[in-house]
């Protein structure tokens, strides 16, 4: 019997596992950077583009993660370059799904703020 | 029993005569005063924890002085000026000199044992880190004794900390003083990332890795991304104080809020850097006391990872009252609430494990501290969710409510698990266990004392008492609450004293304590000596000792991997990151003087700069570099062919290229450098949004002609090409390698020329770094690339010297590869800088 499982890409496995938090990080960066810079550049007046960007990135991020969580194997095979089916694969997929779930929650939580607050006001 | 357990053991018994004696001899620690040259992780780990505990006690004494001052209103036990120094040094010492080093120390001490590695992958690096920290930390702390301590709060906000309002050396002690802490932390992070991902025992796949290893991996990754922001911030503030470059001065286009962004981008992950390892330790101890595997192991891994990532999206919650638009605040408010979810997952997992225990959960001193942690940390988490709500924080910010909250999460979340750790893992390094009786006194005094000290402060804060006040009027109704708090603080002190008495009576370094007294399942409880375990086990589950009760005997008999020292020197097995397949054997260095010398001179360099003794500081800096070079010269031992580790597996003893541990360390260093440069990029763009009126071409001299950046870029690229070509044509056999020396010198000269051209280009336009924040930022970009260039030029010359002394070939090429990849990084950073500095103003203007 085999002492060790078949080789898999370490970088690919870590990226696969961390898909959720990585997408959350990109989402967070875009919404904060877009909001802060567009408010600064419009002198605090704001622009509809703030809403468009935030909602679009939120929807895309959530959709990407839900898709990956529902159908992980194509992404797994692409990134990890391993056929799957072993204990480690199950661990990585379960971890990816749970992290994707938490990250989707955080993405929606953050992004939907644009629907309830004015664009550039301080509110103090 | 799993299929894997029916595998034959890797090595036969009995073992050859003399094998064990050689193992002991090779791993022996220096005796007597030469112990300061030791590099064994258990020795360094104990020193590290001892130092951290010392700083905890020292900072605690400062807290007692503050609580005495605040016990009654209108008090003058200490002056206002001294009080400002007290709370600054208390906070700075607790955060930088106690909390982070303590968890790092536990990583150094416990991780190799948990991973059945003989040591961390770069043993002298940890030793360097601890000595720099001890020397620098003691000198920093001593400033409180002669009125030189920093006094701007542990977070040191400008403009209070600019020269105008803080003219003495006090602030510089903070800024330069924590420089060596930052170096220590990053050195530790390199060790831990490479150690956790590459030196696990064969068969310990990621899914079988102990939770503490996960926690430390995430801790290290967070340090890599968070610390560079505060490193940049301290550089900017020190440069403004010393040379007048106006990064934070509004009148010249700077912004003091830039400091807050940079500091808290580090500062918020910092508290999770402190908490996550403690949570990891709790996850190791709870299953032992419940005598059942951890419930929700995967969930806890996920929770640790999620906490690590989300913590980078919280920093503005320290800045809710600064006038940032509400929608931005909402992003951080949402993230601050989101981060509570993974913390809650961990808490419920621990509770479920306790409930599921095969026997009743054992109440011992460590488990008491764990229960205390659960209670206190959960309360702190609840008040954390409260202050995550922006309107509530508008009221609570800078009040004692926040003081109460932060102590509940930090003391509850880190100090209590730390004390549990002391009692639980003492038998690994001490001949005697600590006392159950004294331990219970310690626990109850600390637990009751803590709640008496800090619970009333929630109420004091809601009643309006602000933070960082040296006294308060007696007629505001805060007196009773403060008096109760002071009594509680002295109870905590009594508890700590009981612990110190216990240590003095019972802690004795050495082996001889009961083997695995708690009945734990993980590898650090295998029979251990100076060489760690007699052989490195093949791991087939998460709870190896429970699943194979014969494992301790098998390992001790040398039946598993690498029971001897085939190269005749210190070594351990390197395995693949995910599946832990054995890949090669590292030849590791033993005790030495050079890392100690490097640490002393590094600390001296920073501290002498603080008191403006520039010449001697530079001499110390040069001596630090020389020490590092001599130290590095002793590394990179030649290959000794392949060695048999057992199970028919023969491993090489030298590895180069992208799977080598050395390459991985360089990659980590490059990520740190990139994070530093990205922080600078953020700062540049941020200041542009704040003060576009001082930016070129409108508010400053026009940019240099395009010939300057193009010439700079050409030189950078040419230098990289020269090294890349040389990389493919290193000599096959050891010989006096003049070609590499010429390539190294030429590439270095091109780097120097490129940067000189860039700086001259700006200078000849009349732009000066003191004129405006734009000028300061332009020259700061060059400073950062010069910094990287200095390091890479030293590395190039080092590689050249290796070549000239016949120690560089196509196979034995680590020193050249390390220099080359950092050169390529420096070129990439330089090119990005050119795009930013020369492209952005042309685009935006």
């Amino acid at each position: 019997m085999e002492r060790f499982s078949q080789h898999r890409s370490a970088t690919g496995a870590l990226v696969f596992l961390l898909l959720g938090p990585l997408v959350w990080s990109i989402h967070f960066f875009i919404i904060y950077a877009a909001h802060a810079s567009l408010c600064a550049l419009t002198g605090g007046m704001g622009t509809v583009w703030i809403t468009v960007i935030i909602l679009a990135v939120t929807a895309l991020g959530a959709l990407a993660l839900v898709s990956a969580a529902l159908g992980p194997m194509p992404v797994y095979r692409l990134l990890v370059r391993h056929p799957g089916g072993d204990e480690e694969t199950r661990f990585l997929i379960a971890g990816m799904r749970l992290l994707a779930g938490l990250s989707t929650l955080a993405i929606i939580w953050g992004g939907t703020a644009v629907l309830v607050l004015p664009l550039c006001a301080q509110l103090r | 029993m799993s299929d894997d357990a029916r595998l034959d053991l890797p090595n036969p018994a009995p073992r050859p005569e003399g094998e064990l004696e050689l193992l002991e001899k090779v791993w022996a620690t220096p005796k007597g005063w030469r112990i300061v040259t030791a590099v064994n992780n258990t020795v360094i780990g104990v020193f590290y924890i001892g130092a951290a505990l010392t700083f905890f006690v020292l900072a605690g004494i400062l807290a007692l002085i503050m609580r005495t001052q605040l016990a009654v209103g209108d008090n003058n036990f200490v002056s206002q000026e001294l009080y400002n120094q007290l709370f600054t040094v208390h906070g700075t010492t607790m955060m930088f000199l106690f909390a982070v080093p303590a968890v790092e120390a536990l990583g150094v001490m416990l991780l190799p044992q948990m991973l059945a590695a003989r040591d961390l992958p770069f043993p002298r690096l940890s030793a360097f880190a601890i000595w720099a920290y001890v020397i620098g930390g003691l000198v920093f702390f001593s400033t409180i004794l002669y009125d030189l301590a920093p006094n701007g709060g542990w977070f040191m906000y400008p403009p209070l900390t600019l020269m105008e309002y803080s003219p003495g050396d006090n602030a510089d002690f903070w800024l330069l003083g924590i420089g060596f802490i930052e170096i220590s932390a990053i050195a530790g992070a390199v060790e831990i990332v490479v150690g956790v991902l590459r030196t696990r025992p064969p068969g310990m796949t990621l899914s079988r890795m102990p939770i503490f290893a996960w926690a430390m991996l995430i801790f290290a990754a967070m340090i890599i991304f968070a610390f560079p922001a505060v490193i940049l911030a301290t550089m900017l503030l020190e440069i403004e104080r010393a040379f007048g470059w106006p990064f934070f001065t509004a009148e010249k286009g700077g912004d003091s809020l830039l400091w807050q962004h940079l500091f808290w981008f580090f500062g918020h992950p910092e508290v999770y850097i402190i908490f996550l390892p403690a949570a990891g330790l709790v996850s190791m101890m709870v299953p032992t006391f419940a005598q059942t595997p951890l419930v929700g192991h995967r969930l806890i891994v996920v929770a640790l990872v999620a906490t690590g990532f989300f913590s980078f999206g919280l920093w503005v919650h320290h800045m809710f009252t600064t006038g940032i638009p509400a929608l931005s605040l909402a992003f951080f408010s949402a993230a601050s609430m989101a981060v509570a979810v993974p913390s809650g997952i961990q808490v419920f997992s621990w509770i479920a494990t306790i409930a599921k225990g095969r026997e009743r959960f054992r109440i011992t001193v460590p488990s008491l501290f764990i229960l205390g942690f659960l209670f206190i940390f959960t309360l702190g988490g609840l008040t954390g969710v409260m202050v995550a709500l922006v309107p509530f924080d508008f009221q609570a910010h800078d009040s004692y409510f926040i003081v109460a909250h932060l102590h509940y999460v930090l003391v509850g979340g880190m100090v209590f698990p730390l004390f549990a750790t002391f009692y639980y893992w003492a038998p690994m390094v001490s001949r005697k266990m600590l006392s159950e009786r004294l331990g219970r006194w310690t626990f109850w005094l600390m637990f009751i004392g803590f709640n008496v000290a800090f619970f009333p402060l929630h109420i004091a804060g809601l009643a309006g008492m602000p933070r960082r006040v040296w006294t308060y009027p007696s007629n505001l109704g805060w007196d009773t609450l403060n008096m109760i708090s002071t009594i509680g603080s002295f109870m905590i002190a009594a508890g700590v004293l009981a612990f110190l008495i216990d240590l003095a009576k019972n802690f004795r370094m050495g082996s001889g304590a009961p083997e695995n007294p708690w009945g734990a399942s993980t590898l650090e409880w295998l029979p251990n000596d100076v060489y760690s375990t007699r052989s490195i086990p093949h791991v087939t589950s998460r709870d190896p000792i429970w699943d194979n009760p014969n494992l301790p005997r098998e390992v001790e008999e040398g039946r598993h991997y690498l029971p001897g020292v085939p190269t005749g020197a210190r070594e351990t097995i390197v395995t693949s990151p995910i599946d832990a397949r054995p890949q090669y054997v590292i030849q590791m260095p033993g005790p030495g003087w050079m890392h100690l010398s490097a640490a002393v001179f590094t600390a001296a360099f920073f501290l002498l700069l603080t008191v403006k003794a520039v010449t001697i500081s530079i001499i110390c800096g040069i001596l630090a570099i020389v020490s590092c070079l001599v130290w590095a010269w002793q590394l990179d031992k030649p290959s000794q062919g392949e060695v048999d580790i057992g199970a028919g597996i023969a491993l090489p003893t030298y590895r180069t290229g992208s799977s080598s541990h050395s390459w991985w360390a360089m990659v980590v260093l490059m990520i740190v450098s990139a994070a530093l440069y990205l922080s600078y990029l953020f700062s540049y763009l941020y200041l542009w949004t704040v003060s576009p009126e001082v930016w070129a071409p409108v508010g400053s001299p026009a940019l240099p002609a395009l010939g300057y950046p193009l010439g700079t870029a050409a030189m950078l690229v040419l230098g990289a090409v020269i090294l890349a070509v040389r990389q493919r044509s290193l000599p096959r056999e050891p010989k006096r390698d003049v070609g590499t020396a010429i390539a190294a010198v030429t590439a270095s000269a091109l780097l120097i020329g490129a940067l000189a051209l860039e700086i001259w280009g700006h200078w000849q336009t009349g732009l000066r770094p003191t004129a405006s924040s734009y000028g300061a930022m332009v020259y700061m970009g060059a400073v950062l690339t010069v910094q990287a260039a200095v390091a890479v030029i030293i590395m190039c010359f080092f590689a050249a010297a290796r070549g000239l002394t016949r120690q560089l070939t196509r196979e034995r090429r680590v020193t050249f590869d390390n220099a080359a990849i950092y050169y390529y990084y420096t070129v990439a950073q330089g090119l990005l800088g050119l795009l930013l500095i020369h492209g952005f103003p042309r685009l935006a203007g």
Side-chain angles (χ1 to χ4, degrees), chain B residues 9 55 93 145 216 353 401 566 695 747 813:
Chain B
L9 293 176
F55 285 115
T93 303
L145 301 173
M216 290 307 290
T353 307
F401 189 89
W695 240 252
R813 54 185 298 148

Side-chain angles (χ1 to χ4, degrees), chain B residues 5 59 114 196 598:
Chain B
M114 284 182 185
V196 168

Side-chain angles (χ1 to χ4, degrees), chain B residues 216-297:
Chain B
M216 290 307 290
L217 179 63
I218 295 159
F219 156 93
M222 291 173 72
I223 285 181
I224 288 163
F225 288 99
F227 267 73
V230 78
I231 291 172
L232 180 74
T234 52
M235 285 172 72
L236 297 184
L237 185 52
E238 187 53 45
I239 289 173
E240 175 153 0
R241 287 176 56 83
F243 304 115
W245 296 19
F247 302 104
F248 306 112
T249 301
E251 293 83 4
K252 290 192 177 182
D255 189 0
S256 53
L257 223 60
L258 172 62
W259 168 273
Q260 293 194 34
H261 279 292
L262 290 172
F263 182 84
W264 289 116
F265 185 80
F266 147 80
H268 196 83
E270 158 84 339
V271 306
Y272 287 96
I273 284 170
I274 290 166
F275 167 64
L276 288 185
L281 292 164
V282 170
S283 290
M284 305 287 293
M285 291 186 274
V286 164
T288 300
F289 291 116
Q291 285 292 290
T292 192
L294 188 64
V295 170
H297 178 279

Side-chain angles (χ1 to χ4, degrees), chain B residues 10-11 202 560-563 566 573 582-583 585 643-651:
Chain B
N11 275 297
H560 285 262
Y561 299 103
L562 203 65
I573 302 174
Q583 291 184 313
V585 164
V643 297
D644 178 10
I645 65 166
I649 300 171
L651 296 181

Side-chain angles (χ1 to χ4, degrees), chain B residues 692-711:
Chain B
E693 70 280 1
V694 305
W695 240 252
V698 170
S700 283
L703 286 161
L706 276 175
Y708 284 91
L710 288 175

